[in-house]
Amino acid sequence: MAASNVSAATDFTLMGLFSRHTGPHLALLFLVVTVFTTGLLGNAILIFLIATDSRLHTPMYFLLSQLSLLDVGFPLVTIPKMVADFLQGENTITFGGCATQMFFLMLTGVSEGVLLSLMSYDRYVAVCHPLHYQALMRGQVCLGMVGASWFSGALVASVQTSVTLQFPYCASHTVDHFFCELPALLKLSCADTSAYELALSVSGVLILLLPLSLIFTSYGHVLGAVLRMRSAEARHKAFTTCSSHVAVVGLFYGAAVFMYMVPGSYHSPQQDNVVSLFYSLITPTLNPLIYSLRNREVRMALVKATGRADLRAKRRWPVMLPLPGALL
């Protein structure tokens, strides 16, 4: 009898952020598309600058390029699908499509959380142990950090996606969310998911609080070292660099803690949609702006790249001066 109550349909219906083709909803959709495009361009430009400017070939900027790569992938998983559904008037997603969304969201999300904690360790070494920085943050160590962040994301995504999709889903396949996120999907299951939700809470504590503890520990040492600096210029440079990273950490972990550590009974589906939109769209868009506007090296690299582009354009299209006779 239990098996007969489970729907054989393999498609899910996403509620979407915008349900009607009215003026306000179209304006909000245009705003989302604008922010999405701005974020992609900002992160792509940052990756390009780090790859092409030799002054940015340092461990900190290598890790930052990986953060920008994750910030390119994060919104690509959700926003194009949401916009296409709104324009076509269809909010369905296949079982395989839902699984793909869940996997890549967790892959990029967990990888970014781990990477942010490792970036805080990089700043700790740079400020507290500057003489040993080149040895402690050599190329092999940086590659190991990036590999560890991607591996942890892939591992968590593989386990949680496969386990979540093993549950039977009832006749209602309407996901009260604009993409397939794990908490929203579990609400549709016919089976008792309480044990799994408890396991998710425990794993969420490990996935979120362990990196956060490393971040707080690293920046606690950094703050102490900065306050002991005698040079005002060195103190200002350290504060500027580290405050950019702290701002990014606050944006990312604030939304993640709300979604995965605050019990679902304390926030509504509408709040979940807003917070999910924030960390899947707003945060990836703000990250390159935070790092570029507060970082002198990035601004100089951008000016240098822009100057090279202008020079190439002038060489390709030389200015034609008027002949003396033409002035008569």
Side-chain angles (χ1 to χ4, degrees):
M1 289 296 293
S4 62
N5 292 330
V6 179
S7 173
T10 57
D11 290 353
F12 292 97
T13 301
L14 302 174
M15 291 300 292
L17 281 177
F18 316 113
S19 57
R20 297 183 300 274
H21 287 72
T22 59
H25 283 214
L26 289 173
L28 289 174
L29 180 70
F30 177 77
L31 180 61
V32 167
V33 172
T34 302
V35 174
F36 170 72
T37 306
T38 302
L40 289 185
L41 288 175
N43 283 293
I45 290 172
L46 195 54
I47 293 172
F48 172 77
L49 293 176
I50 294 172
T52 57
D53 195 305
S54 58
R55 292 173 298 181
L56 302 182
H57 292 174
T58 64
M60 182 185 79
Y61 289 111
F62 173 69
L63 297 176
L64 180 57
S65 68
Q66 296 300 306
L67 178 66
S68 292
L69 184 61
L70 289 168
D71 284 339
V72 168
F74 215 135
L76 280 175
V77 179
T78 58
I79 304 302
K81 168 67 176 170
M82 182 194 71
V83 174
D85 286 348
F86 178 80
L87 295 177
Q88 296 171 3
E90 296 181 2
N91 292 334
T92 59
I93 185 171
T94 63
F95 187 84
C98 192
T100 302
Q101 265 198 346
M102 285 180 56
F103 175 83
F104 282 104
L105 281 170
M106 282 186 279
L107 170 65
T108 53
V110 174
S111 298
E112 182 162 337
V114 174
L115 184 63
L116 286 172
S117 66
L118 296 176
M119 290 174 70
S120 70
Y121 172 77
D122 168 76
R123 292 298 85 203
Y124 159 74
V125 175
V127 175
C128 299
H129 303 282
L131 298 179
H132 303 286
Y133 183 75
Q134 294 300 326
L136 293 175
M137 293 299 297
R138 58 190 182 274
Q140 296 90 332
V141 175
C142 293
L143 290 174
M145 286 181 169
V146 171
S149 65
W150 282 98
F151 175 77
S152 59
L155 179 63
V156 172
S158 299
V159 172
Q160 292 194 358
T161 301
S162 59
V163 173
T164 300
L165 296 180
Q166 293 298 318
F167 288 109
Y169 291 93
C170 302
S172 175
H173 280 63
T174 301
V175 182
D176 200 0
H177 210 44
F178 68 95
F179 60 85
C180 285
E181 194 166 29
L182 192 151
L185 203 61
L186 284 178
K187 295 177 181 178
L188 305 180
S189 177
C190 305
D192 181 14
T193 61
S194 57
Y196 181 51
E197 290 180 24
L198 178 61
L200 285 178
S201 300
V202 174
S203 65
V205 169
L206 297 176
I207 294 169
L208 292 175
L209 292 190
L210 284 181
L212 269 178
S213 63
L214 176 59
I215 291 170
F216 285 134
T217 302
S218 297
Y219 279 109
H221 289 290
V222 168
L223 180 61
V226 169
L227 293 177
R228 290 192 298 269
M229 290 180 178
R230 296 182 179 180
S231 170
E233 182 180 354
R235 191 161 52 243
H236 175 73
K237 183 177 180 180
F239 264 126
T240 300
T241 303
C242 295
S243 62
S244 299
H245 185 242
V246 170
V248 171
V249 168
L251 289 173
F252 177 83
Y253 275 100
V257 167
F258 179 85
M259 282 298 298
Y260 290 97
M261 293 189 64
V262 176
S265 57
Y266 288 91
H267 46 90
S268 65
Q270 291 75 21
Q271 292 174 323
D272 291 345
N273 277 329
V274 172
V275 174
S276 296
L277 183 66
F278 184 84
Y279 74 73
S280 65
L281 179 63
I282 306 300
T283 301
T285 302
L286 291 178
N287 285 353
L289 296 177
I290 291 172
Y291 278 107
S292 61
L293 294 177
R294 297 182 60 84
N295 194 297
R296 182 171 176 267
E297 287 83 0
V298 175
R299 294 198 304 268
M300 291 177 61
L302 181 60
V303 171
K304 181 180 177 182
T306 306
R308 284 201 303 262
D310 291 340
L311 183 60
R312 290 195 190 101
K314 289 179 181 179
R315 288 177 178 175
R316 186 174 302 174
W317 302 101
V319 178
M320 300 299 294
L321 296 176
L323 297 175
L327 298 176
L328 301 177

